[in-house]
Amino acid sequence: MNVSVLGCGRWGTFIAWYVNKAGHDVTLWGRQGSKNLQVLMDSRKNDYLTLPDEIELSHSLENAVTSAEVIIISISAQQLRSFAKQLSQLNEIEGKTFILCMKGLEADSGKRLTQVFSEELGKSTNVAVWVGPGHVQDFVNHIPNCMVISSENIEITKKIVQAFNSDLIRFYYGQDLIGNEIGAATKNVMGIAAGMLDGLNYSSLKGSLMARGTREISRLVRAMGGNDLTIYGLSHLGDYEATLFSLHSHNRKFGQMFVQGEDFGKLAEGVSTVKALKELSAQYHVELPISDAIYEILFENKDAKKTLEDLILRPVKFEF
Amino acid sequence: MNVSVLGCGRWGTFIAWYVNKAGHDVTLWGRQGSKNLQVLMDSRKNDYLTLPDEIELSHSLENAVTSAEVIIISISAQQLRSFAKQLSQLNEIEGKTFILCMKGLEADSGKRLTQVFSEELGKSTNVAVWVGPGHVQDFVNHIPNCMVISSENIEITKKIVQAFNSDLIRFYYGQDLIGNEIGAATKNVMGIAAGMLDGLNYSSLKGSLMARGTREISRLVRAMGGNDLTIYGLSHLGDYEATLFSLHSHNRKFGQMFVQGEDFGKLAEGVSTVKALKELSAQYHVELPISDAIYEILFENKDAKKTLEDLILRPVKFEF
């Protein structure tokens, strides 16, 4: 099958490498001026892996999209709307299958990424998400993991799983797109919270954070019409190791450096998700105390130590 | 209030220290010949803390029990039945409140510890459990955590929480004794599994383990008549940080050393729990694939790497 991967950051480049290994013809696209693509064109390498010669590298969005049956998108989540507008200008996108590999929500609207995508491209394309745990660093060292493909159409989901399943990534069929998208995005917020706890020498409170965090997001998913058990599956709880505990996790690291007064150098995706959750909390009338606390620390200069102590050690007597 | 703590290992000694700090008169009991008690008598210290002089150290079980209104038990879970038989011989135990601080199940019968206790002592005593996350090493360094008190009588639960709550340990009322006891015991099995993954360089599969492990035990709790959400609270998921990720965790360490062919020096409590789960799986007709896999590795010489790969990477297509 012809597959194009749009976006050549750490994760997009890994996906191109992986999909090629799974037996497909792959084009990896980067925008004009992309440093990542230039490095790949010059050396066919990045910090994590070497791309085989048969993967085509391209600056032409039109070629990448028109030549492929399945198009995988791995760009910054907050840029998805403008990028989707660009895609909608192209010919021949009808009937194609797009897979979104980002974990985020639109910051201003709280919308899920498949919603954003469908609003811009209409309903004539198929859209799915590819979420769940896994570090690029591990995969390239042959350490396998389980991930999830989810869409509103089980036939599309099955087709994608069949095409991309391997010993390295064992895919499950997602059965709840709302839950899988909200779960995948919000685990980054818990990652920031975990990093803050690490930075405050409160790592042992990450247990309470996991119990409370899953419950909080589960309530939101239910209010949004999803299945409240989805959060306890791979897309959210199953991604906690990679996000709340791993040294590789950007969101955890961001939270840790934030409370230590250091500069992470860029915003972690969970920062935008915290904004989106403020929106969703209001829209669906669901209290999100952990997300609110992180919002107050990040955007309202509340003291992290006191805010997290009040949050996790506050006198709530009953657990549920 | 007069409180006695029976058992002077790491956790029992900490509890005596903690309950004294919470304002109670405390007796700490150890059996005749206990090395731990001898060290405490000689130096009033162990590897973790120093006991204040007002804590009484005693070899007399009768004195410890008769002098106290609340009696906290922290011994090996597998010795609880014989110990409870011994207690049942004593006078004046009626109406007293016993709190079990161990996390385990009776290996041969699969029975919960409060069941074992009540079978031996009858119904004339109150029995509760004290479970949830927290490392002695952290508490003595003033790092707080949240824990759970659970019993079949909410008034007893409230009385215990009121007596022992502090800034260091924030107690929640457990609302599901079955779920809290099964959850607390079985997190040790997940701890062994996590350690095995660590030892096999598969730490990144701990995310999948968490998602699958909680679900497996949740199904068991429901079959046993408990609430299937309890597992996602403090007693089980909330204890995963301390058990699946912490270097302090005995069960995790045991699993890691086991697959590395090293000797941990003793059996971790989760080993007995795996046996108990075999029993419960049969009694309640609930499949427990993770627990079964650990059983096969520990007791049937199955290869750990292959067994865990088959378990976690097996082609189960739907998550739920």
Side-chain angles (χ1 to χ4, degrees):
Chain A
M1 193 161 68
N2 288 321
V3 178
S4 285
V5 180
L6 309 182
C8 54
R10 172 171 69 162
W11 190 244
T13 304
F14 162 72
I15 286 176
W17 174 90
Y18 173 77
V19 169
N20 167 261
K21 240 173 79 85
H24 302 285
D25 294 322
V26 175
T27 298
L28 175 60
W29 172 89
R31 62 182 165 71
Q32 288 292 345
S34 156
K35 270 190 211 159
N36 288 332
L37 194 68
Q38 196 54 54
V39 169
L40 289 168
M41 282 174 159
D42 292 346
S43 65
R44 301 203 67 87
K45 269 193 218 176
N46 66 11
D47 290 346
Y48 308 99
L49 50 77
T50 300
L51 290 181
D53 289 338
E54 65 261 33
I55 294 180
E56 197 178 318
L57 301 173
S58 172
H59 280 304
S60 166
L61 190 57
E62 183 154 15
N63 285 355
V65 171
T66 53
S67 67
E69 185 180 339
V70 169
I71 296 138
I72 301 174
I73 300 180
S74 176
I75 62 169
S76 155
Q78 301 310 314
Q79 288 171 14
L80 181 64
R81 189 176 291 278
S82 61
F83 189 68
K85 268 194 224 298
Q86 232 184 306
L87 291 175
S88 71
Q89 314 290 314
L90 299 175
N91 296 319
E92 301 184 47
I93 59 164
E94 283 196 14
K96 288 187 189 289
T97 297
F98 289 85
I99 307 173
L100 309 180
C101 285
M102 303 89 81
K103 298 169 181 174
L105 297 169
E106 193 173 51
D108 294 338
S109 68
K111 285 180 179 161
R112 292 177 286 115
L113 299 183
T114 62
Q115 288 181 297
V116 169
F117 193 80
S118 296
E119 283 177 7
E120 298 301 329
L121 269 89
K123 288 283 177 192
S124 61
T125 56
N126 303 306
V127 60
V129 299
W130 172 338
V131 295
H135 304 293
V136 170
Q137 291 90 331
D138 285 339
F139 286 135
V140 298
N141 285 313
H142 315 292
I143 299 175
N145 219 321
C146 306
M147 298 188 81
V148 182
I149 300 290
S150 192
S151 76
E152 284 177 349
N153 180 336
I154 186 68
E155 294 311 318
I156 295 293
T157 299
K158 285 183 174 175
K159 182 184 133 184
I160 296 170
V161 168
Q162 195 175 9
F164 296 151
N165 209 33
S166 78
D167 284 346
L168 192 57
I169 303 186
R170 199 54 62 104
F171 284 106
Y172 284 73
Y173 303 145
Q175 295 157 265
D176 171 19
L177 185 59
I178 293 173
N180 286 135
E181 286 195 87
I182 296 291
T186 54
K187 63 99 196 177
N188 286 332
V189 175
M190 300 308 154
I192 292 176
M196 288 179 173
L197 292 175
D198 285 338
L200 295 167
N201 201 24
Y202 277 164
S203 299
S204 56
L205 292 180
K206 290 199 277 188
S208 292
L209 174 69
M210 294 199 282
R212 293 259 208 109
T214 47
R215 196 157 68 249
E216 169 168 327
I217 304 301
S218 178
R219 278 190 283 108
L220 174 64
V221 167
R222 184 169 51 192
M224 293 176 74
N227 179 336
D228 53 351
L229 280 181
T230 304
I231 288 306
Y232 300 108
L234 285 169
S235 63
H236 187 84
L237 176 57
D239 215 352
Y240 272 17
E241 181 278 332
T243 311
L244 277 65
F245 293 94
S246 169
L247 296 177
H248 303 318
S249 164
H250 284 175
N251 287 281
R252 197 203 59 75
K253 194 78 182 286
F254 173 87
Q256 180 169 353
M257 293 181 78
F258 187 91
V259 299
Q260 290 173 338
E262 294 169 47
D263 185 8
F264 182 65
K266 57 180 175 179
L267 288 182
E269 187 57 41
V271 175
S272 299
T273 309
V274 166
K275 281 190 194 164
L277 286 176
K278 199 83 182 160
E279 199 55 45
L280 292 176
S281 173
Q283 282 174 31
Y284 291 95
H285 308 289
V286 175
E287 282 184 27
L288 302 173
I290 296 173
S291 183
D292 285 349
I294 304 304
Y295 186 94
E296 290 167 2
I297 294 167
L298 292 177
F299 299 115
E300 296 176 350
N301 292 311
K302 289 275 176 73
D303 180 68
K305 186 160 190 286
K306 184 174 181 322
T307 304
L308 290 172
E309 282 174 354
D310 285 352
L311 172 73
I312 297 185
L313 302 167
R314 71 184 171 164
V316 183
K317 291 296 187 188
F318 289 98
E319 271 203 274
F320 295 102
Chain B
M1 194 160 69
N2 288 322
V3 178
S4 285
V5 180
L6 309 183
C8 55
R10 172 172 68 162
W11 191 244
T13 304
F14 162 73
I15 286 176
W17 175 89
Y18 173 77
V19 169
N20 167 260
K21 240 174 79 85
H24 302 285
D25 294 321
V26 176
T27 298
L28 177 59
W29 172 89
R31 60 181 167 70
Q32 287 293 344
S34 156
K35 270 191 212 159
N36 288 332
L37 195 69
Q38 195 54 55
V39 169
L40 289 169
M41 282 176 158
D42 292 345
S43 66
R44 300 204 67 88
K45 270 193 219 176
N46 66 12
D47 290 346
Y48 307 99
L49 51 77
T50 301
L51 290 181
D53 289 340
E54 65 259 34
I55 294 179
E56 196 176 320
L57 301 173
S58 171
H59 280 306
S60 164
L61 190 59
E62 183 155 15
N63 284 355
V65 170
T66 53
S67 67
E69 184 180 341
V70 169
I71 297 138
I72 302 174
I73 300 181
S74 177
I75 63 169
S76 156
Q78 301 311 314
Q79 289 170 13
L80 182 64
R81 190 176 291 279
S82 62
F83 190 68
K85 269 195 224 295
Q86 230 184 308
L87 290 176
S88 70
Q89 315 290 313
L90 299 176
N91 296 320
E92 301 185 48
I93 60 162
E94 283 197 17
K96 289 187 189 287
T97 297
F98 289 85
I99 307 173
L100 309 180
C101 286
M102 304 88 83
K103 298 169 180 175
L105 296 168
E106 192 173 51
D108 295 338
S109 67
K111 285 181 180 161
R112 294 177 286 115
L113 300 183
T114 62
Q115 288 180 298
V116 170
F117 193 79
S118 296
E119 283 177 7
E120 298 302 329
L121 270 87
K123 289 284 179 191
S124 61
T125 57
N126 302 306
V127 60
V129 298
W130 171 340
V131 296
H135 305 292
V136 169
Q137 292 90 331
D138 284 340
F139 285 135
V140 297
N141 285 314
H142 315 292
I143 298 176
N145 221 321
C146 307
M147 299 188 80
V148 182
I149 300 291
S150 193
S151 76
E152 283 177 349
N153 180 338
I154 187 66
E155 294 310 318
I156 294 293
T157 299
K158 285 183 173 175
K159 182 184 135 184
I160 296 170
V161 168
Q162 194 174 10
F164 295 151
N165 209 35
S166 78
D167 284 347
L168 191 58
I169 303 185
R170 198 56 60 104
F171 284 107
Y172 284 73
Y173 303 145
Q175 295 157 266
D176 171 20
L177 183 60
I178 292 174
N180 287 136
E181 286 195 87
I182 296 292
T186 55
K187 62 99 196 178
N188 286 332
V189 175
M190 302 307 155
I192 292 176
M196 288 180 173
L197 291 175
D198 285 337
L200 294 166
N201 200 26
Y202 276 165
S203 299
S204 56
L205 292 180
K206 289 199 278 189
S208 292
L209 174 69
M210 292 198 282
R212 293 260 207 106
T214 46
R215 198 157 65 251
E216 169 168 328
I217 305 301
S218 178
R219 278 190 283 108
L220 174 64
V221 167
R222 185 170 50 194
M224 294 175 73
N227 179 337
D228 52 352
L229 280 181
T230 304
I231 288 306
Y232 300 108
L234 285 169
S235 62
H236 187 83
L237 176 56
D239 213 353
Y240 272 19
E241 181 278 332
T243 311
L244 276 66
F245 293 94
S246 170
L247 297 177
H248 303 319
S249 164
H250 283 174
N251 287 281
R252 197 203 60 74
K253 194 78 182 288
F254 173 87
Q256 180 168 353
M257 293 180 77
F258 186 92
V259 298
Q260 291 172 338
E262 293 168 49
D263 185 8
F264 181 65
K266 56 180 175 177
L267 288 182
E269 186 59 41
V271 175
S272 300
T273 309
V274 166
K275 281 190 195 164
L277 286 175
K278 199 84 182 159
E279 199 55 44
L280 292 177
S281 173
Q283 282 174 28
Y284 291 95
H285 309 288
V286 175
E287 282 184 25
L288 302 173
I290 296 174
S291 182
D292 284 349
I294 304 304
Y295 186 95
E296 290 167 3
I297 295 167
L298 292 178
F299 299 113
E300 296 175 352
N301 291 312
K302 289 276 176 73
D303 180 69
K305 185 160 191 287
K306 185 175 180 322
T307 305
L308 290 172
E309 282 174 355
D310 286 352
L311 171 74
I312 297 186
L313 302 167
R314 72 183 170 165
V316 183
K317 290 298 186 187
F318 288 97
E319 271 202 274
F320 294 101

